[in-house]
Amino acid sequence: MPLLVQISTDLYAAITEADLTDWAGMYLGVKHDYKAGEAVTLSTLLSPLPNSKNKVIVTPGSPSPWRVIMIGEKPGDLIQSSILENLNDPCEIKDPSWIKPGISAWDHWWSGEVKMDMETIFKYIDLAADMGWEYMIIDWHWYGDPIDFSNGEVGKKGLDITKPAPQLDMPKILDYAKGKKVDLLLWIFWGTYGQSTGRGFCTV
């Protein structure tokens, strides 16, 4: 989510969701034998709970999230809409001024070609600095490999987000980024966050 579709030259639609708290996120799929040029029929899929076949565990009266279809004459109409903000609860952070939006450099981890080492991280910090971007994301593997789908498990046990991978010198990385005036974002798998802190799910 969201899925943006151009229906005609002056009609766009987006499918998304709001107020997704303690509930399964929704995915969209198409039939496997779809052929180009055919009309597309979407099906909804709900994400299961980790290590479980269940989708949602609720008690009577539990609120469900909103599934939203937005329609506009151009994509900008959808961005300007306040419907998603209105469907979500107000921010519970009393002073959110420390949250600053911005553009981030982000290695293409999905390609399998990017290494988690000092040289690569410095390269992407340099990219953010050269482009005038505010952030650089240090993605998975910075504290080990958190994803392991073997034996039906979602995350590996024993990883600690307070201990970076041995090949990384985190103080040196932070100093380098500070010198380049680039802030760093660390990707953390929610399951590992719970293991490291004892606080269960990561809600950030």
Side-chain angles (χ1 to χ4, degrees), residues 104-125 127-128 133 135-142 168 184-187:
S104 177
W106 191 4
D107 64 69
H108 53 101
W109 56 266
W110 55 89
S111 70
E113 300 172 355
V114 176
K115 297 179 180 180
M116 181 55 63
D117 56 27
M118 299 289 288
E119 180 181 357
T120 301
I121 291 175
F122 285 168
K123 180 176 69 174
Y124 280 93
I125 292 174
L127 172 63
W133 297 340
Y135 299 104
M136 183 267 169
I137 294 178
I138 302 180
D139 212 305
W140 66 341
H141 292 98
W142 69 264
L168 300 182
L184 300 177
L185 302 174
L186 296 178
W187 185 95

Side-chain angles (χ1 to χ4, degrees), residues 1-20:
M1 297 296 174
L3 171 68
L4 176 64
V5 179
Q6 181 178 4
I7 299 175
S8 63
T9 55
D10 57 355
L11 185 61
Y12 291 81
I15 302 176
T16 187
E17 50 196 354
D19 197 16
L20 186 61

Side-chain angles (χ1 to χ4, degrees), residues 12 16 19 22 38 54 59 85 88 95 114 120-121 125 156 163 178 188 197 203:
Y12 291 81
T16 187
D19 197 16
D22 295 330
E38 292 182 344
N54 295 323
T59 57
E85 180 180 359
N88 282 285
D95 180 14
V114 176
T120 301
I121 291 175
I125 292 174
K156 285 184 178 179
K163 299 177 181 178
K178 184 177 181 180
I188 300 175
T197 64
T203 58

Side-chain angles (χ1 to χ4, degrees), residues 51-73:
N51 307 322
S52 172
K53 294 182 179 179
N54 295 323
K55 304 293 185 181
V56 181
I57 298 177
V58 297
T59 57
S62 297
S64 61
W66 293 94
R67 314 300 186 181
V68 183
I69 299 177
M70 304 168 64
I71 298 175
E73 294 181 352

Side-chain angles (χ1 to χ4, degrees), residues 1 17 20 22-28 44-48 55-56 65 67:
M1 297 296 174
E17 50 196 354
L20 186 61
D22 295 330
W23 206 275
M26 184 175 72
Y27 298 83
L28 296 173
T44 59
L45 306 170
L46 296 182
S47 176
K55 304 293 185 181
V56 181
R67 314 300 186 181

